[in-house]
């Protein structure tokens, strides 16, 4: 059986460089490798609504942004199926059945859900909620790992390329698959997580040096930023606060500019933009010794980033001229996704013995039973 990919993003904002190194560039590579029979890329609007119930317009407006970002990075709709989660109703039904296979206690132990509840300021304490100190946790949000198991299993995904923060979700999915197959017979495909390979790329810090690029922190470089926006962000990036004068020795660890160079620069970039150095190691050595200013390193990073971002920006501009065409791509992708999910749902219903109208044996047996007792 061929390998199948499912992955996706919540449409709560435009995608940024963190998404690019953590997932987008990998997806394009996997797509172009020809190793996968099918690739599904989902815009997870229903999941985004689990903590944005009062903000549907944010989700609605960002679907096109995410689609534009996908296409401009090289996701090719003739090779990957791009679809919108809410348009595949079968996913809800699967989740409803999977809910019976997961305990409240198990969900409460999910480290990602725990951290996200904290981050969003939801209370997990009834008294606090009753006195309206803090809003409680929406049930839909609390159970989104189960909905994510539906996303993955509906498409019989073998492979789920995601960041390490998604590990607990894939683990939860694997438990559901295991339990389902044990109770109802082999039905669902057991998925594997596929983590990013390059450790420098696992998680790109924000331009302010904070652990992660995040819209709420305002420390992101977006794939759709203009050259001027990128320039400003790079030139004001966090470096080594102890590196005050050019002559001072500088630190590489925790220096965001160098972390980005680790993620994006290759030796060819030196020949092109900074020929005095032959490699990143040589540049780092000079910075450590002292005598190399931040501005020079930042200008180099900017050249490296612009080489990456310019073609993405140009493709985005071209796609932006045909928004209707993009909605057609999303509609066709969603129709195709729905067909695939419906086939799995039919298997699930059969396995769970809720396929009454298809079950000729059930109807025949019960007719017999009542005839003889007449
Ligand atoms: N939770 C993922 C995120 O926040 C998005 C997502 C939803 C997803 N369903 C998925 C990722 C299924 C992989 C597989 O990024």
């Amino acid at each position: 059986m061929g390998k199948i990919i499912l992955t996706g993003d919540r449409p709560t904002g435009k995608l940024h460089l963190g998404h690019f190194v953590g997932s987008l560039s990998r997806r394009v590579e996997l797509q172009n490798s020809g190793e996968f029979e099918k690739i599904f890329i989902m815009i997870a609007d229903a999941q985004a609504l689990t903590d944005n119930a009062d903000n549907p317009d944010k989700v609605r407006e960002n679907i096109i942004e995410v689609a534009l970002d996908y296409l401009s990075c090289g996701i090719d709709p003739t090779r990957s199926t791009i679809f919108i989660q809410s348009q595949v109703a079968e996913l809800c039904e699967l989740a409803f059945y999977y809910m019976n296979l997961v305990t409240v206690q198990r969900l409460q132990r999910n480290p990602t859900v725990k951290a996200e509840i904290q981050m969003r300021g939801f209370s997990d304490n009834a008294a606090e909620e009753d006195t309206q100190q803090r809003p409680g946790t929406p049930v839909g949000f609390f159970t989104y790992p189960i909905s994510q198991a539906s996303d993955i299993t509906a498409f019989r995904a073998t492979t789920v390329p995601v960041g390490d923060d998604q590990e607990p979700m894939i683990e939860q999915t694997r438990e559901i698959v295991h339990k389902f197959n044990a109770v109802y017979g082999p039905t669902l495909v057991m998925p594997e997580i596929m983590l990013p390979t390059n450790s420098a790329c696992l998680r790109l810090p924000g331009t302010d040096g904070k652990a992660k690029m995040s819209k709420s922190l305002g420390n992101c470089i977006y794939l759709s930023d203009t050259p001027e926006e990128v320039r400003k962000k790079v030139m004001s990036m966090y470096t080594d606060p102890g590196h005050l004068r050019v002559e001072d020795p500088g630190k590489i660890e925790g220096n965001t500019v160098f972390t980005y160079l680790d993620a994006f620069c290759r030796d060819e970039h030196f020949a092109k933009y900074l020929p005095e150095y032959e490699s990143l190691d040589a540049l780092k050595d000079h910075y450590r010794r002292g005598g190399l200013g931040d501005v020079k390193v930042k200008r180099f990073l900017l050249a490296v980033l612009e080489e990456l971002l310019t073609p993405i920006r140009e493709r985005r501009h071209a796609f932006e001229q045909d928004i209707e065409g993009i909605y057609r791509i999303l509609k066709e992708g969603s129709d195709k996704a729905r067909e695939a999910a419906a086939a799995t749902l039919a298997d699930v219903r059969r396995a769970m013995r809720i396929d009454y109208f298809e079950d000729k044996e059930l109807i025949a047996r019960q007719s017999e039973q009542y005839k003889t007792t007449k």
Side-chain angles (χ1 to χ4, degrees):
M1 225 178 45
K3 290 199 285 178
I4 299 176
I5 285 181
L6 177 111
T7 187
D9 300 281
R10 297 182 187 198
T12 52
K14 298 178 176 198
L15 301 181
H16 51 59
L17 278 179
H19 293 112
F20 185 85
V21 293
S23 61
L24 289 175
S25 60
R26 187 80 180 289
R27 289 180 200 170
V28 174
E29 265 173 47
L30 294 171
Q31 169 192 274
N32 298 341
S33 75
E35 258 185 67
F36 294 87
E37 185 189 318
K38 290 186 214 156
I39 300 179
F40 293 96
I41 301 185
M42 181 179 76
I43 303 180
D45 63 333
Q47 187 176 109
L49 287 168
T50 63
D51 63 334
N52 284 288
D54 53 354
N55 208 351
D57 283 336
K58 175 168 106 185
V59 175
R60 182 183 170 85
E61 294 302 321
N62 277 304
I63 287 177
I64 193 75
E65 299 300 336
V66 171
L68 283 165
D69 286 331
Y70 284 168
L71 295 167
S72 51
C73 284
I75 304 278
D76 171 358
T78 66
R79 287 193 272 183
S80 302
T81 304
I82 308 174
F83 71 98
I84 305 177
Q85 186 182 28
S86 63
Q87 304 308 297
V88 182
E90 286 75 5
L91 298 174
C92 301
E93 189 173 333
L94 286 174
F96 193 65
Y97 302 137
Y98 295 168
M99 284 189 180
N100 304 331
L101 305 177
V102 180
T103 65
V104 170
Q105 291 70 29
R106 176 63 185 83
L107 279 177
Q108 279 168 336
R109 267 186 275 118
N110 183 309
T112 300
V113 173
K114 255 185 173 165
E116 288 179 335
I117 285 176
Q118 277 243 313
M119 227 166 64
R120 286 164 175 73
F122 294 142
S123 169
D124 54 5
N125 169 322
E128 244 181 12
E129 193 193 354
D130 288 347
T131 55
Q132 298 188 342
Q133 287 172 48
R134 279 200 293 164
T137 307
V139 173
F141 182 78
F142 177 63
T143 54
Y144 91 74
I146 301 177
S147 127
Q148 201 157 328
S150 309
D151 304 336
I152 294 168
T153 55
F155 301 97
R156 304 187 170 120
T158 54
T159 313
V160 187
V162 282
D164 58 354
D165 63 315
Q166 294 295 303
E167 250 178 312
M169 304 303 157
I170 312 307
E171 201 38 52
Q172 180 71 74
T173 302
R174 290 174 59 87
E175 282 176 35
I176 290 173
V177 169
H178 185 81
K179 183 96 194 248
F180 190 100
N181 289 346
V183 175
Y184 302 114
T187 310
L188 301 175
V189 173
M190 186 63 84
E192 309 274 346
I193 191 169
M194 184 187 235
L195 290 167
T197 39
N198 180 349
S199 66
C201 293
L202 260 174
R203 192 169 287 169
L204 200 67
T207 52
D208 56 358
K210 298 239 169 70
K212 200 174 161 180
M213 270 197 187
S214 133
K215 187 167 28 81
S216 53
L217 296 173
N219 61 3
C220 304
I221 296 177
Y222 293 99
L223 297 171
S224 49
D225 276 349
T226 63
E228 184 49 25
E229 286 166 327
V230 177
R231 194 190 62 80
K232 276 199 200 133
K233 290 178 183 179
V234 169
M235 296 318 282
S236 60
M237 254 166 94
Y238 178 85
T239 57
D240 167 11
H243 187 239
L244 295 174
R245 291 164 308 171
V246 173
E247 315 82 84
D248 293 338
K251 272 214 282 278
I252 305 293
E253 295 68 39
N255 185 322
T256 317
V257 176
F258 281 97
T259 312
Y260 280 34
L261 286 174
D262 280 330
F264 295 105
C265 106
R266 298 182 305 272
D267 288 351
E268 311 92 87
H269 290 130
F270 283 95
K272 251 200 214 158
Y273 305 117
L274 204 60
E276 312 105 274
Y277 304 88
E278 63 181 39
S279 68
L280 187 52
D281 285 336
L283 187 75
K284 285 180 177 172
D285 281 343
H286 191 184
Y287 193 82
R288 281 196 196 94
R289 281 198 310 276
L292 173 56
D294 282 348
V295 170
K296 188 164 178 175
V297 187
K298 286 177 170 175
R299 288 220 175 99
F300 175 59
L301 173 62
L302 184 59
V304 170
L305 290 182
E306 275 305 321
E307 187 174 317
L308 172 78
L309 291 171
T310 304
I312 295 178
R313 207 180 278 130
E314 282 168 3
R315 280 196 297 266
R316 196 182 211 275
H317 184 75
F319 284 117
E320 284 169 355
Q321 308 316 304
D322 185 19
I323 296 298
E324 285 179 13
I326 295 179
Y327 275 103
R328 270 197 302 277
I329 290 172
L330 295 175
K331 169 82 166 67
E332 279 164 25
S334 301
D335 290 344
K336 211 166 141 189
R338 189 148 196 200
E339 214 174 288
T344 304
L345 180 60
D347 289 352
V348 161
R349 286 167 161 241
R350 204 172 310 117
M352 291 179 67
R353 309 182 57 71
I354 55 175
D355 59 336
Y356 313 110
F357 305 134
E358 263 93 81
D359 192 344
K360 299 284 175 279
E361 189 273 332
L362 168 77
I363 299 168
R365 178 172 55 70
Q366 291 182 344
S367 327
E368 258 331 285
Q369 183 187 331
Y370 282 98
K371 261 183 215 153
T372 55
T373 56
K374 241 201 316 211

